[in-house]
Each structure stands twice: as structure tokens, then as C-alpha cells.
Amino acid sequence: MPRLSEVIAALDALWPPQRAEQWDAVGTVCGDPDAQVGRVLFAVDPVQEIADEAIALGADLLVTHHPLYLRGTTTVSAGHFKGRVVHHLIKHDIALHVAHTNADTAEPGVSDALAGALDLRVTGPLVPENNLGRICELDHPETLAEFAARAAKRLPATAQGIRVAGDPGMTVRRVAVSGGSGDSLFDAVRAAGVDAFLTADLRHHPVSEATQHVTSSGPLGLVDAAHWATEWPWCEQAAAQLDAISDRHGWDLRVHVSKTVTDPWSSHHTSPGAPN
């Protein structure tokens, strides 16, 4: 079996840490570089449910997309839920490694995995300067409603489901996709001249402005999925990449992808609403 340091070197080659944003916190959170690794678990969030899953699986390494300590810390006390995760992992000899914005901008990266899950043909990056997001084409035109239904069918189910802004009957041929929060990318989306944009965490004012802003290519349709759902396909892509590396090196790693839904929203309700 390979040592942890060898596996981490392979992961850093896939997602170079220097490609991460300056504010980000990527890399190895805990783990002995000389420890042997035989089983790896990929997940989006380093929360307690995922740590428990890694322990039950007998994993030696947990790789997550989201950082455990994004803003830094002065303590890993088990009196706090994040410290408790660290304590549980260390007690069971499980390393934790994070690939966040360095995985967003990788080739292939998070948005490639999202496009693949939707069966879209990638034609290039949405933001070429940092390789962020992807511009894609559909094999045949669909209405915005049909494209949203495609996303609902192919992405993991969450309480939020899929939200749509724009004319459901508008024709969609070219789309932009970006895993995770994407409403900071509207300028790039408009410049790309796409028909629709699929991402997550869209807020009221940016959406309102985007739907009112009609460009030469026409109105923009928006498809808003849950943050976790748009990034989970990366776990499967990343696991396949590590599997291929393991085969090349003869490591015989057992690589798993967590199916646990760690989207924080737990239910969705509809009602007639209060009178205006």
C-alpha cells in the first residue's frame, strides 16, 4: 500500500494547491505522512456524518471538497463540532485532505463533473483567466423547462430541488454551468452569449437584474440547484481519477464515494402564502 504522502502528492498533481484562491484553506488537515493508505472516501462536506461514514468504512483517508477550517482556528477542542471531527478522525487513523477552489479551476474540475452529470458537451471555460465554470452545448435544443427537468433528473435530489427563473418555454442551446455559488459570474455569463446558466446559491437581486438584462442573444434563463448537488458529481470524477492513478502505480486502493446527502436544508414546504 502507498504511504499517505504518496497519495497526497498524486492528489496535489490533480489539483495543485497553488491554484487555490488566497482566501481558501486547502491541503491536508490531519494525517501521518508515513501512514499506509488502502481505502479512500470522497465527500463534499467534512461534517460528522461523513467522519462517521469514513470510520465505519475503515477508510484511511477522507478527501472532501469543502474545507473544515476555512477561516482558520486557534483550537481543535472536541468541545466544538469541527474539533470533534478532527478528534474522531485522528482516533481512527484517518487523514483528512481538502481540494476546494484548486479543484474548481482544475482540468478537469468541478464544473466539468457538473457538465458531465448533465450530459453536456463542454466547449470551453466560462472564465478563461482562471479556468472557472464551463460553456456547454446541448445535443439538441430544449426548452428551459426541459433543461431544468434534465438537471432535476440527473443531479442528486435535495430538499430545495431545482428553481428556474425565465420563460419556461424559451429555447436553450448553449448553457454555462458552474458548480457551487455562481452569481458572481453573471458578467461572464452575459459575455458568453449563452441561453441559460446553471449554478447554485442564486440570490434575489442578482437574479432579478439578470432576468431583466436582455442581451443581443436574448433573455437569460437561470437554473438554480442546491450547492451540494452541483458539487457532488466532482466526488465521482475525483474518485475515478484516483482509481486510474492507483492502477498505474499498482497501489490497489479501494476508492469510495459517499452517497450521504449533507445539503443542510432538510425539507421544502409550499403554501398559498400571506395576502399582499
Side-chain angles (χ1 to χ4, degrees):
M1 291 190 293
R3 292 177 299 160
L4 175 63
S5 59
E6 295 176 286
V7 178
I8 295 304
L11 298 183
D12 283 347
L14 293 175
W15 318 299
Q18 62 268 25
R19 293 286 302 274
E21 297 285 349
Q22 289 188 345
W23 50 263
D24 205 0
V26 302
T28 305
V29 178
C30 62
D32 180 354
D34 292 325
Q36 290 186 321
V37 175
R39 195 182 295 269
V40 183
L41 177 65
F42 282 87
V44 175
D45 297 299
V47 293
Q48 189 62 52
E49 297 95 316
I50 298 300
D52 291 341
E53 183 177 348
I55 292 168
L57 184 66
D60 306 297
L61 170 63
L62 170 61
V63 181
T64 65
H65 182 51
H66 289 153
L68 179 64
Y69 289 107
L70 181 58
R71 293 174 177 83
T73 185
T74 59
T75 176
V76 292
S77 166
H80 187 270
F81 75 92
K82 293 189 176 185
R84 200 155 52 244
V85 168
V86 173
H87 277 253
H88 284 186
L89 293 176
I90 291 176
K91 281 181 181 178
H92 291 85
D93 296 320
I94 302 173
L96 172 60
H97 186 77
V98 173
H100 191 211
T101 53
N102 50 327
D104 289 333
T105 59
E107 183 70 51
V110 171
S111 293
D112 293 291
L114 175 57
L118 296 172
D119 199 22
L120 303 174
R121 185 171 65 257
V122 174
T123 61
L126 175 61
V127 186
E129 303 83 67
N130 57 8
N131 202 35
L132 191 63
R134 294 293 182 265
I135 298 172
C136 308
E137 292 182 353
L138 281 66
D139 287 336
H140 55 80
E142 295 179 350
T143 65
L144 180 60
E146 289 170 335
F147 179 64
R150 174 198 292 245
K153 179 181 180 180
R154 294 175 178 269
L155 294 180
T158 62
Q160 171 188 312
I162 302 294
R163 302 188 299 176
V164 179
D167 178 4
M170 67 177 287
T171 301
V172 175
R173 296 181 179 85
R174 297 180 71 242
V175 300
V177 301
S178 180
S181 303
D183 63 16
S184 64
L185 301 175
F186 275 127
D187 287 345
V189 170
R190 281 190 285 266
V194 296
D195 303 308
F197 178 36
L198 185 149
T199 188
D201 298 339
L202 292 179
R203 297 170 295 160
H204 174 89
H205 292 296
V207 169
S208 178
E209 292 173 4
T211 55
Q212 295 297 313
H213 189 111
V214 178
T215 66
S216 58
S217 58
L220 178 67
L222 300 175
V223 180
D224 182 36
H227 190 119
W228 175 86
T230 64
E231 294 182 330
W232 183 84
W234 171 80
C235 295
E236 289 196 322
Q237 175 180 275
Q241 289 176 285
L242 183 56
D243 262 332
I245 292 170
S246 174
D247 288 344
R248 287 200 302 271
H249 290 284
W251 286 347
D252 196 27
L253 290 178
R254 289 157 291 176
V255 183
H256 305 262
V257 175
S258 174
K259 301 290 196 300
T260 302
V261 178
T262 54
D263 183 78
W265 301 105
S266 58
S267 63
H268 176 77
H269 297 272
T270 59
S271 70
N276 291 330

